[in-house]
Amino acid sequence: MQFPQLLLAAIRSAADRVSRFRIPARGTPLVLPLSAILSALAFSPSSIRAETWTALRGNHSVDAELLGIWEGNAILKMTDGRRVSVPLINLISDSRIHANKVNETIQTHRAELVSELKAQAAEAAAPAPTPLPQPAAAPDYRPLDNGASAIETLQHLQDQAASGHLLLAYFDSLPPKYRADLDGIVKAGAKNMDAASIDSTIGPLYKGADLVVTHQNWIFSHPRMKMLDSNTRETLSTLILNAAGAIRATLDPAALTAEKLDSMPLRDWLLERDRAVAPHLYALHSVLPPSAATFEEYDASKQNPYGEYGQESGYGSSPDYGPGSESGMEIAEMSSEEGPPGESPAKPDPAEQVKPESNDAKIKITQNGRSVIVDMVRVDGYWIPKSLSENWTESVASKKEQVAASGLMSLVDSPAITAVGSMLQPTIDTLASATNAEEFHKAMENVFQQAQTFASVLGGLAGNTSGISNPWQPTKSSSSPRSGGSDGYPDDQYREEMEMQYNSDAP
């Protein structure tokens, strides 16, 4: 699953869940933290055991609990529940000394309890926990094996994407020359890059993601969120926080400085980003529905374009080409001339048939019940989509010229991104201006209303209408007339085109 598609799946799932919730009626009971209740019980005066207190003359003693000392008087709770006040000067010295020690313990416990309750109240009122929680570590990255086949390459990319290492795996799957070319584009663009261009293009996306992460307490204390059951709340939290965390880590302004992009090799930069992003992507994969694809070689010569039509229109039903036709007899007679009469022609030794290694392959990718055929080509030992290899040199030269003139951000500056940023910015500003949870919750109502619309806009921006997770998202090409100008085409379309070609070639 591609990086934008993975985030969009998380956003759509979160938006769909949240938009169905309603605010509960006022008067919802407040549930105190269990730790606060236990602490109050543990440190309450009632936990102090009853002790013996003796009058100054020694002629009278009582068993009671010391509740504290107030203005020189010992406040005692008698065994029958009555509370009495006794001046300390009326107690013997041992009782006075002990009363002061017990009172110090009570005061210390009370101070600790007050401090804990204040800390809990401050944490609950804070926009986010301190420090910010982090997802579990992703599995270790595994580079692509040398000499991997086309299918092994696609399977490797899928496995590494599921482990969160999507950025690094895609880069490492390219031929060395392609990687060097991409590094050259980044270096050329970094020399003409400024903070204003970053802020005007991807700034709103980063600010929105950062707002979610740094205000997560206020987000999940909203009444719509608090009414969820624990499982739904946990799933929604994982989706929202890790989608935002992945965007925030990828678009971190500290990583997008001209100095850093110009001085670091691109792979080192991607490795640094991968370490920050991979845990979030891995966490997203853990809660999103499974959608693994399967890969297999597609041999067009073995496909029967008439198989779905049966004997009425398939091979064998035509009087000119069927087994009982004259043409079929001629073929049989010609075959019989290859050996002695009555004997079958000799079959070639399979060991002697060495199939030359091809640099082209058609791979059938099947996911969620749908399939596409992708043309792959091997370049310097690495399998990539054919569309990527076409006009690569010209495309690299064009991109270098573009970024040298307009900066690196010109590669992602588009009307669609600008529209998303314009839609996000007012909501971000309103939420960011909130000074407490109540103000933030009021501003969130607009977010709930726009969640589905925003997810739809992002879906159009990603452009994944096929439903297939093609790792490189091949673009249309006019080099293959049969494919209609696309590296990926459905089975039924390919079958229909083969049928049309067969009919046009038949005598």
Side-chain angles (χ1 to χ4, degrees), residues 318-331:
S318 170
D320 295 329
Y321 294 94
S325 66
E326 294 181 1
S327 298
M329 291 294 294
E330 291 174 1
I331 293 174

Side-chain angles (χ1 to χ4, degrees), residues 300 305-306 481-483 493-507:
Y306 300 102
R482 181 185 61 193
S483 67
Q493 178 185 346
Y494 189 54
R495 187 162 49 243
E496 292 173 3
E497 293 177 354
M498 288 182 64
E499 177 185 350
M500 294 174 62
Q501 182 178 354
Y502 182 86
N503 290 336
S504 63
D505 293 341

Side-chain angles (χ1 to χ4, degrees), residues 105-428:
T105 301
I106 292 174
Q107 295 300 324
T108 300
H109 287 173
R110 284 177 177 170
E112 291 175 352
L113 176 58
V114 169
S115 177
E116 181 181 351
L117 292 176
K118 286 182 176 180
Q120 291 178 357
E123 183 178 352
T130 303
L132 291 173
Q134 298 297 322
D140 293 338
Y141 172 67
R142 181 175 63 83
L144 180 66
D145 295 333
N146 292 330
S149 66
I151 290 180
E152 290 171 341
T153 299
L154 292 171
Q155 186 64 57
H156 167 79
L157 291 174
Q158 177 171 263
D159 293 343
Q160 291 307 299
S163 297
H165 303 291
L166 178 141
L167 297 173
L168 194 58
Y170 285 177
F171 183 78
D172 285 349
S173 67
L174 296 173
K177 179 183 182 304
Y178 285 40
R179 295 179 229 163
D181 288 339
L182 292 177
D183 190 44
I185 293 174
V186 172
K187 296 295 184 290
K191 299 181 185 301
N192 189 20
M193 186 174 174
D194 61 275
S197 64
I198 297 176
D199 189 66
S200 63
T201 51
I202 60 177
L205 292 176
Y206 173 80
K207 292 175 183 177
D210 184 68
L211 182 76
V212 169
V213 174
T214 58
H215 290 72
Q216 53 187 275
N217 279 356
W218 290 358
I219 291 174
F220 291 98
S221 63
H222 190 282
R224 289 182 187 255
M225 300 295 189
K226 293 176 69 174
M227 69 181 293
L228 304 178
D229 62 84
S230 58
N231 290 335
T232 302
R233 181 185 173 91
E234 182 178 355
T235 300
L236 191 61
S237 174
T238 301
L239 287 170
I240 293 176
L241 294 181
N242 285 287
I247 296 174
R248 183 172 181 259
T250 303
L251 305 182
D252 185 359
L256 294 175
T257 63
E259 179 182 0
K260 195 163 195 174
L261 291 171
D262 186 46
S263 61
M264 290 182 69
L266 181 55
R267 191 186 186 281
D268 291 348
W269 185 89
L270 288 172
L271 179 61
E272 183 182 85
R273 293 299 87 215
D274 178 83
R275 291 169 179 162
V277 176
H280 297 288
L281 299 184
Y282 180 62
L284 286 176
H285 272 286
S286 68
V287 296
L288 291 175
S291 59
T294 59
F295 312 96
E296 59 181 312
E297 291 187 15
Y298 187 87
D299 188 349
S301 64
K302 295 182 180 180
Q303 305 302 316
N304 179 7
Y306 300 102
E308 63 182 287
Y309 299 106
Q311 290 297 323
E312 293 185 1
S313 60
Y315 175 77
S317 63
S318 170
D320 295 329
Y321 294 94
S325 66
E326 294 181 1
S327 298
M329 291 294 294
E330 291 174 1
I331 293 174
E333 291 173 1
M334 292 174 64
S335 299
S336 66
E337 292 176 1
E338 297 179 4
E343 295 184 8
S344 300
K347 296 182 179 180
D349 186 357
E352 298 177 359
Q353 293 182 329
V354 179
K355 185 178 179 180
E357 191 173 13
S358 175
N359 288 325
D360 295 283
K362 289 184 181 296
I363 305 300
K364 180 180 179 180
I365 305 178
T366 303
Q367 185 181 37
N368 298 330
R370 302 182 63 188
S371 299
V372 293
I373 312 300
V374 178
D375 288 320
M376 305 284 289
V377 62
R378 180 162 45 194
V379 178
D380 298 334
Y382 291 80
W383 287 95
I384 61 176
K386 187 176 181 180
S387 64
L388 190 64
S389 66
E390 295 172 341
N391 304 318
W392 173 264
T393 303
E394 295 80 358
S395 177
V396 169
S398 174
K399 295 302 181 185
K400 283 186 177 179
E401 183 178 349
Q402 176 183 340
V403 299
S406 305
L408 195 60
M409 287 298 104
S410 65
L411 297 178
V412 295
D413 189 7
S414 69
I417 292 180
T418 303
V420 171
S422 299
M423 185 171 62
L424 278 176
Q425 195 62 59
T427 302
I428 293 173

